[in-house]
Amino acid sequence: GWKINPKFSYDLLGPGKSIPGVSFSVSGAFTAATNLSSDSYISVEKNPFSLACSANDFIQNIGEGIGKESQIVINGVQWNKSVGIDVAAGNDYLEEIYSVKHAASCYGIRLFLHSGNVDNYDAGARQQFDKSVLTAIQDKVVASFRFLK
C-alpha cells in the first residue's frame, strides 16, 4: 500500500537547494482513523549540497531546531543520525534522517511524519498514530541499504 515516487524532491531547504531522491508514501493503513497525514513518507535521497555528509544537512532549521547528531553503526556502516521537529497551527512535523557518505556523495534516508494534534479532533474521531511502527520500518530500510559499487 506504499506509493512510490521515483521523482521525489525534498524542497524545504530553500530556493536552489532541492535534494533529489525516491519516496515511499506511508500506506493508508497507517493513516486511516489516525492523526497521521497522508503526506508522510520515507525517502532515499542524494544531497548534492552536503560536503561533510551531516544528517543535519538534510533538515530545514525548523521549530525546535535540529536535533543532536549521533553516530550509529548498522551492518558495518557508520551512519550519522539526526531529528528535526516543528509544531505549527495544530500540526506536528517530525523528520528523522540517517546519512552516510559513499564515493564522494552524501545519501540520506528520511522519515517524514506530518500529523495533526489528536486533541484537535472530535473525541474518538482519531487515534494517535504509532510512531514506533514507522521508525521500525525506517530502521529496516536503513539496515537493508547497500551500495552496489
Side-chain angles (χ1 to χ4, degrees), residues 111-141:
L111 174 63
F112 177 86
L113 300 177
H114 170 203
S115 61
N117 184 317
V118 75
D119 294 330
N120 290 341
Y121 297 94
D122 291 336
R126 302 283 176 163
Q127 299 299 317
Q128 178 65 43
F129 76 95
D130 188 349
K131 177 183 162 226
S132 66
V133 172
L134 294 164
T135 56
I137 292 170
Q138 180 193 28
D139 290 345
K140 287 180 183 180
V141 171

Side-chain angles (χ1 to χ4, degrees), residues 42-44 109 136-145:
I42 292 175
S43 61
V44 179
I109 298 177
I137 292 170
Q138 180 193 28
D139 290 345
K140 287 180 183 180
V141 171
V142 172
S144 69
F145 192 77

Side-chain angles (χ1 to χ4, degrees), residues 28-100:
F30 293 100
T31 61
T34 73
N35 62 325
L36 184 64
S37 175
S38 62
D39 64 348
S40 300
Y41 60 86
I42 292 175
S43 61
V44 179
E45 306 165 17
K46 183 177 178 182
N47 190 335
F49 309 106
S50 180
L51 299 176
C53 201
S54 163
N56 283 339
D57 293 341
F58 285 84
I59 303 174
Q60 69 170 336
N61 192 6
I62 55 176
E64 296 177 26
I66 296 174
K68 181 180 176 188
E69 290 183 317
S70 59
Q71 301 295 317
I72 300 169
V73 176
I74 301 171
N75 292 335
V77 176
Q78 184 167 331
W79 294 84
N80 186 292
K81 182 180 177 184
S82 188
V83 176
I85 298 171
D86 194 15
V87 178
N91 290 284
D92 297 324
Y93 302 91
L94 174 109
E95 294 183 80
E96 185 170 290
I97 301 287
Y98 286 85
S99 68
V100 64

